[in-house]
Amino acid sequence: MAKILIHDEYVKSPDKLIKLCPFNAIEYMDSKLSINSGCKMCKLCVKQAPEIFEFVEAQIRGIHKEEWKGVAVYMDHVEGNIHPVSFELIGKARALAEKINHPVHAVLMGSHMEHAAEQILKYGVDEVFLYDDVALENFRIEPYAACFEDYILAHKPSIVLVGGTTIGRSLAPRLAARFRTGLTADCTFLDVQENTDLDQIRPAFGGNIMAHIHTPNHRPQFATVRYKIFDAPEMIKTPFGKITKCTLDQSLLKSQIDVLEVHAKEKSESIEDAEVIVVVGSAFKKKEDLNMAFKLADLLDARVASTRPLIEKGWMDAKLQIGLSGRTVRPKLIITCGVSGSVQFVAGMKGADQIMAINIDKEASIFNTAHYAIVGDIYEVLPKLIERIENERA
Ligand SMILES: Cc1cc2nc3c(=O)[nH]c(=O)nc-3n(C[C@H](O)[C@H](O)[C@H](O)COP(=O)(O)OP(=O)(O)OC[C@H]3O[C@@H](n4cnc5c(N)ncnc54)[C@H](O)[C@@H]3O)c2cc1C
Ligand code: SF4
């Protein structure tokens, strides 16, 4: 890491030097100047008192990229049921691996997971690394991290993809910190360069810019991706990969956590799984007016979802929010009603097969994303749409 060095021997007026820092990061204690964690590396102190403050560049650790080979996917599961995001990541891993001629690895931990490992092979991975032990029955961070670390140390994958699930979000940062490497969370686009550097793109600063992130000096390169960002690959008829059983010393499988009971979460059909979605936006003036959208959704066998303002008003459940700080959906059809099309909203739905937008303002940015545009008042368009569908059904 870069740092600011202090040459104490030249310090004459510490009070004046303290004032140089706009972030109160320079301190004077026990006749010594020091820099605290508030330092933003703005280098103002270096410019104003170069004889005292010296900026020292981070020492770049050399890395032999060719020694790191493989695109690995962490197979996220609860009680042996693999989360679909892991299959989506296998599809992306395959595409990346083909570009750099690397193998695709799946890393699976759990108890009695042989059947799951066989299933994974059907998605076209080259090798499943299976840590199967009763101690791994439930997810507990210490033994799972130990297995993952063991796999990385032994096989040195160049890229590690992890689903942006509750488990993945706990596991990936711990591993990235252990290997002193970078992790890009919630990527929405991934590609790879010839030199095996991963192109990681994700929205940043509230979705106003798309950050393009590289990890050029460290391996492996960790990225998490949320469910429904990529397509799951087709299953292959003749799996070609193999299962490699891995074991770890029992002392490394110990945990401070005892899982006493596992309660299944109440099952509710999530908007991520819906094939047709009707989205309600701020154009609705009263909560009761949402009934128009619910009626349309009933007719189309669709789910109703929402933009953020309606969640904030308490009109819709937070689980129904689409967007950057909500859910990502990829339905066959999405109909937005009175939605402006902010970047934060569009980030969560632009992967839909067909997008139809209803908005009174012909300049609304949702029309830049939509395949079908209806310029009109939802209070006129929705009743007409409902009537027409009802008539046609009749
Ligand atoms: C960090 C961050 C994260 C965010 N995350 C999300 C997120 O995940 N999801 C999300 O949705 N937002 C998110 N937002 C908020 C986002 O910026 C927008 O404010 C929000 O998406 C706007 O919602 P809207 O389109 O319903 O409302 P508005 O932007 O107010 O748009 C209402 C639209 O309705 C149209 N309209 C008005 N009356 C009618 C009518 N009678 N008939 C037809 N059309 C009409 C208007 O022309 C307008 O285009 C986030 C913001 C930040 C800063
Ligand atoms: S680099 Fe900037 S933030 Fe850090 S101590 Fe100097 S003036 Fe303060």
Side-chain angles (χ1 to χ4, degrees), residues 122 184 197 353 380:
K122 293 185 185 157
T184 306
D197 281 357
D353 288 353
E380 288 170 17

Side-chain angles (χ1 to χ4, degrees), residues 206 281-283 307-309 321-326 338-342 344-345 358-361 364 376-379:
S282 296
T307 58
R308 191 157 97 172
Q321 181 188 322
I322 291 176
L324 197 58
S325 51
V339 172
S340 58
S342 64
Q344 294 89 357
F345 170 75
I358 309 168
N359 197 304
I360 205 162
D361 174 8
D377 187 334
I378 51 162
Y379 286 88

Side-chain angles (χ1 to χ4, degrees), residues 30-45:
D30 301 330
S31 313
K32 239 180 144 20
L33 270 189
S34 63
I35 292 184
N36 67 32
S37 58
C39 175
K40 304 274 187 285
M41 286 289 164
C42 70
K43 298 193 229 168
L44 254 175
C45 55

